[in-house]
Amino acid sequence: MDLRCPKCNSTDLKKVSLAYQQGLYRTDARTGLSAALVGGNGPDLIVGRATTHASHQSALSKQLSPPAKWSYLKVVSWSVLAFLCVGWLVFYVNTVTTNSSSVLSSPLTAFGLISGAAFVLQLFLVWRHNHSAYQERFADWDHSFICQRCGAVSQHG
Ligand SMILES: [Zn+2]
């Protein structure tokens, strides 16, 4: 193994995945707390977790973070929330404009169909990301090294 930094030619390289783990060990308590919060399943809690996550991570370990898998839970939570908000709006406008209490009127049916299609599309996109783009990025990340002299990140192997 003759790894050299492409920037300063130093051989003092460390695997990015290792540097990342070392940078994160102080924040283990946070991880436990957020895991407990996620049990609530709401979008607010998920957003809260993401914010806490970002603010507690050091700038360096953030730069070294592995690629993230897209979360089905996140997509589903936001979809349900959007569905309820927009659905209520469509229902309200529909009731006011047509003065009809029929639940199966055409705007609502159209909304239901579009929502269903959008939901399936989102799940497909998450699945595709996790099975192709994510795998590639993770492999790249796993082959990345950080120079301990100048901090440049380069890929080897
Ligand atoms: Zn270097």
Side-chain angles (χ1 to χ4, degrees), residues 73-85 118-119 122-123:
L73 179 68
K74 209 163 165 179
V75 169
V76 170
S77 302
W78 280 110
S79 296
V80 169
L81 195 73
F83 178 81
L84 291 178
C85 290
F119 185 66
Q122 280 180 348
L123 288 183

Side-chain angles (χ1 to χ4, degrees), residues 128-139:
R128 205 182 59 170
H129 175 267
N130 288 350
H131 282 81
S132 58
Y134 170 79
Q135 305 272 349
E136 280 174 31
R137 280 187 218 169
F138 189 87

Side-chain angles (χ1 to χ4, degrees), residues 81-113:
L81 195 73
F83 178 81
L84 291 178
C85 290
V86 181
W88 181 83
L89 198 70
V90 171
F91 180 75
Y92 178 77
V93 171
N94 183 55
T95 311
V96 168
T97 53
T98 63
N99 206 14
S100 142
S101 56
S102 165
V103 176
L104 289 174
S105 60
S106 51
L108 279 177
T109 312
F111 170 69
L113 289 174

Side-chain angles (χ1 to χ4, degrees), residues 5 7-10 147 149-152:
C5 170
K7 214 168 166 185
C8 69
N9 216 25
S10 161
C147 171
R149 200 163 127 199
C150 73

